[in-house]
Amino acid sequence: MTHAAPVSPVDRAGLRQRIDKALTEFLAGQRGWLTAIDDGLVPVAEAIEAFVLRGGKRLRPAFAYWGYRGAGGVDSDQVVAALAALEFVQASALMHDDLMDRSDTRRGEPAVHRRFAARHRAAGWGGDPDGFGDAAAILLGDLCLVWSDELLHSAGLDPRTVARARPVFDEMRTEVTIGQYLDVLTQVTGDTSRERAGKVARYKSAKYTVERPLLLGAALADAPAEVHAAYSAYGLPLGEAFQLRDDVLGVFGDPDRTGKPAGDDLREGKRTYLVATALEGADDAGRELLLAGLGDPGLDTDGVTRLRELITASGALERTERRIATLTEGALAALATVDLDTEARQALVDLAIAATRRTD
């Protein structure tokens, strides 16, 4: 396996700065439009700016950009701006996800629904502060999804080029939405199978994190069918490995790096591959303990520690790490089956390593 280069592939070609510039300019225009309507929309503009501009790994636009370049696409600021629209899809999904999971924080800051509930309390407004916060998070998430469309279409690309990419963009947003629903459904039905956990991970995260951004870039570059096929063969297993790493961090991650409380996925009752594997490997007593703790919002630090120890002792952590490695190796092997631009190929190799070895 090729080792990751010192310079992140998200930073090559000035990519991160160019993505941030496109997002900043777009949001400045949206702020002006909102505040011309009503001063009460200033906090909406501020919250979305804070969420989109002050965090995020920019992995999805990076996969799309290097997928575009790999297929022979010519670099331009218009392409980068169009691909930055993926950050608004991500923002929408995270705002809604935090609300559904009743998460308190995101990237070390209050989640959007908590932010607006706190604003309600501070102002002494009437009604239920939490209800107001929930409504705000739904609406801001919806607004971000609308803005993803607007940025894609206003970035300056030829309309025929955008039309080529449109089906991929639409399918991606449909997939992440139904993936979110399957996640919620799985939590309430208590399905603990690895098959179910894999399907949720695939649609909620894996496809829209890697495969669909790659295919979006390929569509913008008008790539041939063999490039699309190779990108799917690379993107699907890599996206799953990315989600498995996320699942591990949701249980074992350092809150200072993840920006979320330790063991938050356990309190939320996430039926992840890691948890499903632990339930398969644990004895009856361990299984009973794990099921009792899953979804308990009052699970304290000691309780999280006990469940972590149980998951580790069951062999689930080791098996999940092995699967991450296997999936990543398979993804890289698929990438080697197609002729790509040399710089872009290396960037995609390095992105695979960065996405699966991250600690935040």
Side-chain angles (χ1 to χ4, degrees):
M1 181 182 293
T2 305
H3 293 289
V7 178
S8 164
V10 181
D11 293 312
R12 289 174 214 165
L15 186 56
R16 189 189 304 272
Q17 292 80 9
R18 294 165 70 193
I19 292 167
D20 288 349
K21 181 175 183 288
L23 293 170
T24 299
E25 291 176 353
F26 178 81
L27 284 167
Q30 300 304 90
R31 173 190 274 263
W33 191 85
L34 289 176
T35 55
I37 295 174
D38 194 286
D39 289 344
L41 295 174
V42 171
V44 171
E46 291 175 342
I48 294 178
E49 287 167 358
F51 198 97
V52 172
L53 298 178
R54 298 179 196 168
K57 303 174 186 67
R58 308 301 188 230
L59 280 176
R60 290 162 185 85
F63 276 115
Y65 174 81
W66 290 114
Y68 169 82
R69 290 283 305 277
V74 177
D75 188 18
S76 74
D77 288 340
Q78 289 79 13
V79 166
V80 171
L83 298 178
L86 291 166
E87 288 297 302
F88 285 111
V89 179
Q90 167 75 340
S92 173
L94 293 181
M95 289 177 187
H96 288 165
D97 194 46
D98 287 344
L99 172 60
M100 289 184 285
D101 292 341
R102 311 310 305 178
S103 297
D104 292 327
T105 60
R106 168 67 62 179
R107 299 168 183 159
E109 298 293 331
V112 169
H113 60 287
R114 300 298 189 207
R115 176 179 178 137
F116 279 85
R119 181 175 181 79
H120 183 292
R121 291 188 179 92
W125 293 332
D128 176 22
D130 291 330
F132 175 76
D134 292 356
I138 292 169
L139 294 169
L140 266 67
D142 288 349
L143 189 56
C144 284
L145 201 59
V146 171
W147 285 357
S148 72
D149 255 338
E150 190 171 338
L151 181 52
L152 176 66
H153 283 274
S154 66
L157 295 179
D158 181 274
R160 290 171 297 181
T161 301
V162 176
R164 261 199 325 266
R166 185 78 222 192
V168 178
F169 196 68
D170 290 342
E171 287 175 23
M172 176 190 66
R173 297 188 304 167
T174 297
E175 285 168 347
V176 69
T177 303
I178 63 172
Q180 289 275 27
Y181 175 77
L182 289 176
D183 186 26
V184 173
L185 179 66
T186 300
Q187 289 183 56
V188 298
T189 59
D191 190 333
T192 60
S193 67
R194 281 192 292 165
E195 178 185 2
R196 185 64 171 185
K199 179 178 286 188
V200 170
R202 186 159 56 252
Y203 283 94
K204 180 184 174 183
S205 179
K207 290 175 75 68
Y208 102 102
T209 296
V210 185
E211 185 202 19
R212 290 301 181 189
L214 284 166
L215 294 179
L216 182 66
L220 290 175
D222 201 14
E226 59 265 26
V227 172
H228 286 259
Y231 281 172
S232 285
Y234 161 85
L236 277 173
L238 184 59
E240 185 179 344
F242 174 92
Q243 182 56 46
L244 292 180
R245 174 60 60 211
D246 211 47
D247 295 343
V248 170
L249 292 174
V251 175
F252 294 95
D254 179 354
D256 290 337
R257 295 193 64 84
T258 64
K260 302 195 78 174
D264 228 25
D265 279 8
L266 298 173
R267 296 185 187 90
E268 293 163 9
K270 297 282 188 184
R271 258 57 177 185
T272 63
Y273 179 93
L274 177 69
V275 167
T277 304
L279 288 168
E280 283 185 6
D283 58 21
D284 289 344
R287 182 182 172 87
E288 185 177 344
L289 179 63
L290 184 52
L291 287 173
L294 274 178
D296 178 5
L299 192 67
D300 60 15
T301 303
D302 289 341
V304 168
T305 299
R306 283 194 299 272
L307 294 189
R308 282 175 167 174
E309 291 171 349
L310 191 158
I311 290 170
T312 302
S314 73
L317 179 58
E318 181 183 356
R319 289 177 68 185
T320 302
E321 291 288 355
R322 284 204 309 268
R323 181 154 179 79
I324 290 171
T326 300
L327 288 165
T328 304
E329 289 169 6
L332 294 176
L335 198 62
T337 64
V338 67
D339 184 29
L340 299 174
D341 171 84
T342 302
E343 181 186 10
R345 181 192 301 279
Q346 187 60 51
L348 290 173
V349 169
D350 295 339
L351 274 170
I353 296 169
T356 56
R357 294 185 184 175
R358 73 191 197 282
T359 58
D360 59 2

